């Protein structure tokens, strides 16, 4: 049992880093927006630092645990939600539908600029 969610980071070479959270589905768009907001000074021009900041923000204090979070390239191990993907090349976040077929992102639902996504979903921005 869980609330499985994935967050995508599409690199400029086209590969996607997926951050899997076993219990991350609750308020996942806010979690992702907060992580993107935390790397404002690095995204989109400094992928390696931005990747680390985003992943660190998502995982939070769970680094020492052996369960709960995972990282993969071009593959989602499990999922129960739509999938937000940040694209470094276009500086956009796209929300994708997901069918249960490993690594199959299907139709895109909506796209935002990074700033639009952060302003819409980040907890620090809501009601500001």
């Amino acid at each position: 049992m869980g609330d499985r969610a994935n967050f995508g980071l599409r690199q400029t070479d086209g590969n996607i880093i997926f951050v899997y959270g076993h219990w991350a589905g609750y308020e996942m768009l806010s979690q992702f927006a907060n992580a993107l907001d935390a790397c404002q000074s690095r995204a989109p021009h400094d992928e390696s630092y931005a990747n680390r900041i985003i992943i660190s923000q998502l995982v939070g204090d769970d680094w020492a645990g052996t369960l709960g979070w995972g990282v993969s390239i071009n593959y989602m191990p499990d999922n129960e939600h739509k999938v937000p993907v940040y694209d470094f090349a276009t500086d956009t976040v796209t929300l994708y539908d997901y069918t249960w077929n490993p690594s199959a992102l299907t139709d895109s639902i909506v796209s935002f600029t990074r700033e639009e996504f952060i302003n819409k979903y980040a907890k620090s921005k809501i009601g500001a």
Side-chain angles (χ1 to χ4, degrees), residues 9 17 19 35 50-60 63 71:
L9 302 170
I17 298 171
V19 180
N51 285 323
R52 195 265 313 152
I53 292 166
I54 294 165
I55 294 169
S56 294
Q57 291 292 311
L58 291 171
V59 174
W63 280 104
V71 177

Side-chain angles (χ1 to χ4, degrees), residues 6 10 12 16-18 21 24 32 40 44 53 59-60 66 68 71-72 75-76 90 108 119-120 123:
N6 284 274
R10 187 184 312 270
T12 54
I16 303 174
I17 298 171
F18 286 104
F32 199 46
Q40 290 274 17
I53 292 166
V59 174
T66 59
V71 177
S72 61
Y75 174 78
M76 287 184 279
T90 61
S108 65
N119 288 334
K120 183 171 180 72
K123 288 290 187 182

Side-chain angles (χ1 to χ4, degrees), residues 6-113:
N6 284 274
F7 308 87
L9 302 170
R10 187 184 312 270
Q11 307 302 287
T12 54
D13 67 4
N15 287 309
I16 303 174
I17 298 171
F18 286 104
V19 180
Y20 166 78
H22 190 77
W23 295 283
Y26 178 70
E27 294 189 350
M28 64 181 285
L29 296 181
S30 292
Q31 292 175 42
F32 199 46
N34 290 339
L36 289 170
D37 192 32
C39 76
Q40 290 274 17
S41 66
R42 295 294 183 178
H45 61 279
D46 197 343
E47 279 182 29
S48 62
Y49 279 99
N51 285 323
R52 195 265 313 152
I53 292 166
I54 294 165
I55 294 169
S56 294
Q57 291 292 311
L58 291 171
V59 174
D61 294 332
D62 291 337
W63 280 104
T66 59
L67 298 172
W69 291 94
V71 177
S72 61
I73 306 295
N74 298 327
Y75 174 78
M76 287 184 279
D78 202 353
N79 194 62
E80 296 176 330
H81 295 276
K82 309 295 187 224
V83 182
V85 176
Y86 173 66
D87 189 318
F88 281 94
T90 61
D91 200 24
T92 59
V93 178
T94 301
L95 189 62
Y96 288 91
D97 211 351
Y98 183 77
T99 56
W100 186 241
N101 179 6
S103 71
L105 287 175
T106 57
D107 298 330
S108 65
I109 298 167
V110 65
S111 290
F112 302 91
T113 66

